[in-house]
Amino acid sequence: MRSRAHALASDAFVEEAARQELAASKSAVAAVVAGYFAAAGARSGVLLAPLTLLVAGVGAGGRAFDGRLRQPGLGAKRPRGLLPGQGAPRAVRLALPTTVAALSVALIYDRVRTVTSLARVGASAAREAGAPARAALLERVAQVGPGAFAEARFVQPLLHVAGAAEGGLLAQGDFQPPADVSADAAVERARADVTLQAPWARDVASESLGVGHAVCAADARGVFAALCYREITDGIELSELELTAALAAVPVRRGERRVRPGERLPVPAPASIVCDAALTPIEVRVRREPKARRTLSIARSVGRWLEANAR
């Protein structure tokens, strides 16, 4: 008899972390968050990249938690803008996500683990990867949660490379944890089934945002969770933090409409949770990339959880 709980990921290292947490806490949400933090600790391009977490439970509908990148410049004066045809410096392209704030809210809904306990999975992975600065930041997240990203030890290195003095758009307001990181899942009905997705699931990114990854889980309570995240492979290196930041912000140009500071920047979220007519989840599907042929899938049939299928 297979276990009624299961976790899968596109990365074996992440999958192992998710399975260990699932065995310990019995929570699908905690499992995928633990897997994410393992990746964020092990690799420099994950913690400052965008993510989406989709969750559904028996009779509860679905929620999407928004860790997308946001346009920088909150609370700052509007810059003069680039002239037509003028190239944009890399500093003006740096954008920050709201990953830890989104995960923190998701875990409050789940009420099993907190982001402060799971961030230590990332701190441990960073130490094993030989990245003490990244480990220290994740350990601080384990102590104070999203507030770690408003502290000087994090803020100053980013302002140094992408603040106004460097020709960038980053401002102090960009480092405050946002409140609007949770939304009802979008619902699509087809015959007897209902499919839940993030409202921004079909976003098309205007820039390459590295490599797509995914981790999904289902637990014995009937909760399904799918987390899609990116790994930035070409961004701004922050040596003081041992992190890589994404280049996705839209430069301000004279004579063109400005993307409002704080506005979400598009990124695909190729995950869905299939439910029956009573909104009981029966399968979670998640792909590394929107058009990938291989799909991670956990489904329930006759009281069992089926293993992953390549689709």
Side-chain angles (χ1 to χ4, degrees), residues 109-142:
Y109 273 85
D110 192 54
R111 295 184 293 182
V112 175
R113 291 280 205 231
T114 64
V115 77
T116 54
S117 62
L118 294 175
R120 289 197 168 90
V121 174
S124 176
R127 284 191 289 269
E128 291 180 7
R134 190 158 69 243
L137 175 59
L138 286 162
E139 189 62 46
R140 187 59 181 160
V141 173

Side-chain angles (χ1 to χ4, degrees), residues 73-117:
L74 281 170
K77 295 173 60 177
R78 178 190 172 101
R80 293 189 63 188
L82 302 173
L83 295 170
Q86 184 179 358
R90 285 170 68 85
V92 84
R93 305 301 307 279
L94 191 148
L96 292 179
T98 53
T99 51
V100 174
L103 297 180
S104 180
V105 172
L107 290 164
I108 290 171
Y109 273 85
D110 192 54
R111 295 184 293 182
V112 175
R113 291 280 205 231
T114 64
V115 77
T116 54
S117 62

Side-chain angles (χ1 to χ4, degrees), residues 3 26-27 29 44 72 83 113 132 181 205 229 256 282 285 295:
S3 170
K26 317 302 182 188
S27 165
V29 176
S44 67
L83 295 170
R113 291 280 205 231
V181 293
Y229 64 97
E256 297 182 9
I282 56 178
R285 301 171 183 167
T295 300

Side-chain angles (χ1 to χ4, degrees), residues 243-300:
L243 295 173
T244 304
L247 296 172
V250 180
V252 178
R253 295 189 179 277
R254 299 182 201 179
E256 297 182 9
R257 187 190 74 85
R258 180 190 185 188
V259 176
R260 297 190 314 274
E263 187 173 327
R264 282 79 161 182
L265 299 169
V267 64
S272 60
I273 296 175
V274 180
C275 305
D276 63 18
L279 289 184
T280 298
I282 56 178
E283 184 178 12
V284 56
R285 301 171 183 167
V286 60
R287 303 182 300 281
R288 289 181 62 176
E289 301 289 353
K291 297 182 180 180
R293 292 184 178 180
R294 293 185 60 83
T295 300
L296 299 176
S297 171
I298 301 174
R300 186 177 66 181

Side-chain angles (χ1 to χ4, degrees), residues 31-44:
V32 298
V33 174
Y36 166 77
F37 273 120
R43 300 183 178 90
S44 67

